[in-house]
Structure formats: C-alpha cells, structure tokens
C-alpha cells in the first residue's frame, strides 16, 4: 500500500519537482554514507579493542549520527536560503556547531589515550565536520566557506596536537580536513546552483505562458473593440436621430431604424466571425504545434499519415482539439519518452491515434473535463473517442469520425491524392434537393429568428 502511494505521489510530480526531490535526497544521504563508512571502518582494526577506546569510538559514532539527523533537518531550509525563497534561521546552527566541537573533543581524547592511529585517525578527522559543512556550504559565500573550512581544519589539527598526536599522523590531519570541505564545496554547491537555474527557467516558462495568455486577451479585446466600437457608435447616433425624427413625425425615422437593424445584424456576424476564429482549431497547425511542444519538453514525437489537408472544416476543428488535449495530457499526466501521432484518412472515416509510452498519460475518468469535452465535440459529428492504457505500458487515445455521414465530405479524396480543392467546398452549405434558388435564399424572418437564438 505504501509503495503504491509513493509511486502515485512520484508520478504526480512534475519533472522539475522530481529533480528537486532527487537533489535534496542525495544531499541528505551523503552525511549518512560518510558516517557509516568512515566512522565505522576504524572499528575493525584501527581502534584499539579495549573498553575505553571502544567507548570513546562508540560515543563519537553516536555524535556523528546525531549530526546527520540535524543536517537532514536543515537541508530543506538551507536549500531555500540558497535559492532565495526564505532566510535560514541562525539558531538552527547552534546544536550542530556544539556537536561539532564535541566530536573534535572526543576524537582528540580518543587519540590522546592511544585508542586510534594511522589511517583510522585520518578517516575520523575527515568525517567529523562533514554533516555540519554540508549545510553550511549553502548558507555563506564561497570565500567565507573557504575561510571557515581552513579555521576548522586548524582547530582539529590543534586539538589533536594538544592531545599528543605527532609525526605523519598529525601532518595528514590538515590536508585531510581541507579535502573534505573541498569535496563538499565542489559537489553540493554546483548541485544547488543547477537546481536554482532550472527553477528560474521553469518560472520563466510560467511567466511566458501567463504573458502569452494576457497578450491573447488583449488581442481579443482589441479585435472586439475594432469590430464593435465604430458600429455601436453609429447605432447610437442613428437611434438618437430616429428618436428626433419620430418626435417630429418625420417618415425618415423608419429608414434610420432599418439602417440600425442592418448595422446590428452585421455586427452580430462580425462578432461571430471573431469568436469562431478563437474557438476553432486548425488540424495542420495543431499537429505541428503538438510536435514542437513535446520535443521541447524532451519527448520524441513523430507525426505520421496525413496532415488533415482536404478534410471538411468541422472535422479538422474537432480533430485539432483532440490533438491539443492529447498533447496537454501527455505533458501533464505522463512521463513518456516517445509519442506517436498518426492520422489515417479513408473514404469512409478519418482516424486519429495518439500513443505514448508514459501510461497513464491522461487523467482518470471523472477527474477532468478534457476528455468529456472532446467526446461532446465528436458526438456532434457522429464520432467516437476511446482512451486508455494498452499493451506494453502504452497509453492510446483514438478519435474516429465517419466522413460519409458528414455533409460536404462525399467524394473526399485520400490525402495521398494531393487534392485540396474540396476543403472549402466541404464547408459550404448545400441546398436540399428540389430547392429553388428562392427557397435556398435567406428569409429576413429566418435571419431574425436565428439572431434571437
């Protein structure tokens, strides 16, 4: 149960959140790795197997493990301090600093009683400050960290010298302690820097997306203003003129109101044209856009079959929305490495398949409205939509629209034929058999009823 919950939690995270979690986990595990290797290894042969040295070694190991716990507690806060999200509380360093002083004192005491020597002493000297400096390296500038590391190495060397350590063992303590600090500096600091750069890039992409939405809203507002601004001003003026003419009993008032009616109907049609341009999706454009977006996200995407050229407008629009929603679901819900979009057009139907190896790549049924909205669009064209996991961990989304039942699609050639002249003809309304030209013309009363609807 816990494994499934952990896996679900991992799959719900974005790629950037996974990288962030991996980096923090790695930094948290490093002090434990050092403590359980460098601090335990001397117990085998380097520590003298007598009660006092073993007790001092065990106490030093316990202090080291406690340092690891405090280091893990401070990792998140130190990362957020480095990334500029929050300020690290200085009081959190008091306990780790006291434990570091205690560890140096225990190490000096162990060496003073002759309990450890040789390589064991160097390994313990290397491990003693690791848990503290792993947190400290993210809190101060590099120059400050280097000075503090030098002072810490001098403190450790001085404590061991005061305990009676001499010769090559004492000479190796200073470079060993400095090596540990340099190792932390070149491993932890670049990792945090890379993480900060990636979060900044992620934030920049989010800002770019919000700016694109804002720009689109401004453009829509500008288009609506251009369409309605002049016409509404003319309607207001002509209405005032009609009122004045009507008050004077002039018959020209009727002509002005007829003109107002004509301008209002023209404005309605212009508004519909503007809105239609935002609501309809072009299949060719959506295929190219989905391929570009997925490749930019590091997902290999192949588009095969036709590109939708020659399909009737309503069919292109519906399939364009399917491509857009499928690409969105691949980015949002899955973690695939490859995605295939295939469009097959025959004389009877057009079938769009979107497959990826990151199942599940779509939200479960009932959790979102994307697939339900697509089904509604396809049902209007007698189409169907199927979505679900397939064999081999593949998620497949299939949309099928019959062409024979769609007005204007009779005789539609296969895309391979290269005939694109029927696309516009498929969109044009056709008169029913037996209609006369007069019957096919628009009746003003019918126009008024449609406008009211």
């Amino acid at each position: 149960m816990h494994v499934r919950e952990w896996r679900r939690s991992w799959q719900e995270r974005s790629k950037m959140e996974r990288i962030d979690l991996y980096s923090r986990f790695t930094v948290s595990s490093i002090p434990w790795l050092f403590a359980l290797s460098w601090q335990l290894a001397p117990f085998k042969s380097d520590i003298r197997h007598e009660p006092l040295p073993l007790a001092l070694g065990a106490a030093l190991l316990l202090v080291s493990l406690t340092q690891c716990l405090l280091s893990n507690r401070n990792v998140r806060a130190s990362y957020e301090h480095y990334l500029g999200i929050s300020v690290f509380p200085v009081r959190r360093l008091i306990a780790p600093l006291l434990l570091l002083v205690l560890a140096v004192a225990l190490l000096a005491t162990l060496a003073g009683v002759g309990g450890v020597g040789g390589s064991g002493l160097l390994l313990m000297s290397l491990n003693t400050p690791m848990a503290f400096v792993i947190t400290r390296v993210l809190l101060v500038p590099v120059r400050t960290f280097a000075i503090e590391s030098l002072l810490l190495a001098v403190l450790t060397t001085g404590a061991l010298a005061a305990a009676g350590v001499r010769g090559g063992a004492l000479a190796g303590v200073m470079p060993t302690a400095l090596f540990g600090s340099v190792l932390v500096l070149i491993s932890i600091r670049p990792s945090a820097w890379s993480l900060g750069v990636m979060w900044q890039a992620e934030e920049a992409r989010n800002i770019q997306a919000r700016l694109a939405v804002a720009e689109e809203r401004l453009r829509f507002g500008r288009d609506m203003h251009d369409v309605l601004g002049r016409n509404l001003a003319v309607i207001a003026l002509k209405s005032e003129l009609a009122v004045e003419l009507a008050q004077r009993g002039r018959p020209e008032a009727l002509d002005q109101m007829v003109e107002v009616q004509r301008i209002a109907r023209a404005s309605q049609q212009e508004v519909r044209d503007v809105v239609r341009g935002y609501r309809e999706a072009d299949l060719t454009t959506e295929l190219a856009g989905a391929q570009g977006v997925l490749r930019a996200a590091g997902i290999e995407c192949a588009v095969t079959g036709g590109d939708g050229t020659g399909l009737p407008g309503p069919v292109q629009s519906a399939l364009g929305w399917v491509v857009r929603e499928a690409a969105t679901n691949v980015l949002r819900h899955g973690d695939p490495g490859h995605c295939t979009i295939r469009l097959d057009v025959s004389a009877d139907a057009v079938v769009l398949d979107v497959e990826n190896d990151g199942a599940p790549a779509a939200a479960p049924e009932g959790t979102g409205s994307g697939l339900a909205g697509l089904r509604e669009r396809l049902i209007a064209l007698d189409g169907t939509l199927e979505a679900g996991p397939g064999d081999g961990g593949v998620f497949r989304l299939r949309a099928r629209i019959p062409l024979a039942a769609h007005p204007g699609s009779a005789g539609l050639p296969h895309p391979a034929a290269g005939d694109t002249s029927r696309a516009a003809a498929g969109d044009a309304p056709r008169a029913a058999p037996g209609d006369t030209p007069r019957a096919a013309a628009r009746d003003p009363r019918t126009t008024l009823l449609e406008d009211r609807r």
Side-chain angles (χ1 to χ4, degrees):
M1 179 65 68
H2 293 290
V3 174
R4 282 196 301 245
E5 291 179 357
W6 180 86
R7 182 180 179 184
R8 187 182 303 111
S9 175
W10 175 260
Q11 291 177 342
E12 290 175 353
R13 296 175 184 269
S14 65
K15 291 183 178 180
M16 190 60 232
E17 290 174 338
R18 294 179 186 181
I19 294 174
D20 183 278
L21 180 61
Y22 171 78
S23 300
R24 297 173 192 266
F25 174 78
T26 302
V27 173
S28 299
S29 61
I30 288 177
W32 294 96
L33 179 63
F34 291 160
L36 296 177
S37 56
W38 294 345
Q39 200 70 39
L40 278 177
F43 277 89
K44 183 177 181 180
S45 58
D46 295 309
I47 294 181
R48 189 156 44 90
H49 289 189
E50 293 182 3
L52 181 58
L54 290 176
L56 290 174
L60 184 57
L61 176 62
L62 180 61
V63 171
S64 179
L65 295 179
T66 306
Q67 285 179 302
C68 293
L69 288 175
L70 293 179
S71 177
N72 289 170
R73 176 175 175 265
N74 292 332
V75 162
R76 182 181 182 87
S78 60
Y79 258 99
E80 292 180 351
H81 178 90
Y82 180 83
L83 297 176
I85 299 175
S86 62
V87 178
F88 186 88
V90 180
R91 64 179 182 277
R92 285 194 175 188
L93 291 178
I94 298 177
L97 185 59
L98 293 177
L99 287 176
L100 176 59
V101 174
L102 178 60
V104 172
L106 287 173
L107 179 61
T109 303
L110 180 62
V113 298
V116 64
S119 60
L121 178 62
L122 295 180
L123 285 178
M124 288 184 168
S125 301
L126 181 62
N127 176 72
T128 299
M130 292 300 291
F132 177 80
V133 297
I134 283 177
T135 301
R136 187 63 179 171
V137 72
L138 298 177
L139 302 179
V140 296
V142 175
R143 180 179 297 179
T144 304
F145 178 78
I147 295 175
E148 292 179 352
S149 299
L150 181 60
L151 293 177
L152 183 58
V154 171
L155 172 65
T156 305
T157 304
L160 292 176
V165 178
R166 299 289 185 272
L170 182 63
V173 172
M174 174 74 75
T176 300
L178 289 177
F179 171 76
S181 298
V182 172
L183 180 64
V184 170
L185 178 63
I186 63 177
S187 59
I188 305 301
R189 190 87 178 194
S191 173
W193 176 80
S194 301
L195 188 63
V197 171
M198 286 186 287
W199 272 120
Q200 289 176 1
E202 184 76 9
E203 184 179 359
R205 283 193 292 267
N206 294 335
I207 293 176
Q208 185 178 11
R210 289 196 295 268
L211 289 176
V213 172
E215 183 179 357
E216 187 69 10
R217 288 175 177 173
L218 290 175
R219 188 165 72 91
F220 184 81
R222 184 172 60 252
D223 291 348
M224 292 297 294
H225 176 270
D226 294 341
V227 168
L228 293 180
R230 182 183 62 84
N231 290 354
L232 290 177
V234 174
I235 288 174
L237 291 174
K238 286 188 172 293
S239 299
E240 294 176 2
L241 179 58
V243 170
E244 293 180 2
L245 293 174
Q247 290 176 348
R248 297 176 185 177
R250 301 284 295 275
E252 291 85 350
L254 179 59
D255 297 334
Q256 295 296 327
M257 292 307 300
V258 171
E259 183 66 12
V260 167
Q261 184 184 37
R262 184 193 67 79
I263 297 174
R265 287 176 178 171
S267 299
Q268 272 189 320
Q269 185 59 43
E270 290 176 350
V271 170
R272 288 186 186 129
D273 292 339
V274 172
V275 174
R276 186 181 298 114
Y278 284 88
R279 294 180 61 183
E280 291 184 354
D282 178 70
L283 179 56
T284 304
T285 303
E286 293 299 333
L287 287 172
Q291 187 177 33
V293 169
L294 293 178
R295 286 181 175 177
I299 302 171
E300 183 181 353
C301 180
V303 178
T304 61
D307 61 356
T309 302
L311 291 174
V315 175
Q316 284 205 42
S317 178
L319 294 180
W321 281 106
V322 173
V323 172
R324 183 182 299 182
E325 180 67 21
T328 302
N329 286 343
V330 169
L331 293 172
R332 181 182 301 169
H333 302 296
D335 188 19
H338 182 79
C339 179
T340 301
I341 304 175
R342 183 171 56 255
L343 183 67
D344 295 325
V345 183
S346 64
D348 299 329
V350 54
V351 179
L352 176 69
D353 287 316
V354 182
E355 297 180 357
N356 70 88
D357 56 2
E365 294 289 344
T367 62
S369 59
L371 296 181
L374 293 180
R375 287 194 175 95
E376 292 176 359
R377 292 178 182 273
L378 295 177
I379 287 175
L381 301 175
D382 296 329
T384 58
L385 181 70
E386 300 175 0
D391 298 334
V394 174
F395 187 89
R396 180 180 296 108
L397 184 145
R398 167 170 290 187
R400 183 182 186 277
I401 300 179
L403 294 178
H406 184 73
S409 62
L412 179 69
H414 194 278
D419 184 4
T420 61
S421 61
R422 301 297 299 271
D427 294 340
R430 298 182 177 181
D435 283 351
T436 64
R438 182 176 183 84
R442 294 176 61 86
D443 192 319
R445 290 173 297 178
T446 304
T447 301
L448 180 59
L449 290 175
E450 290 179 355
D451 290 344
R452 289 179 179 177
R453 287 197 294 268

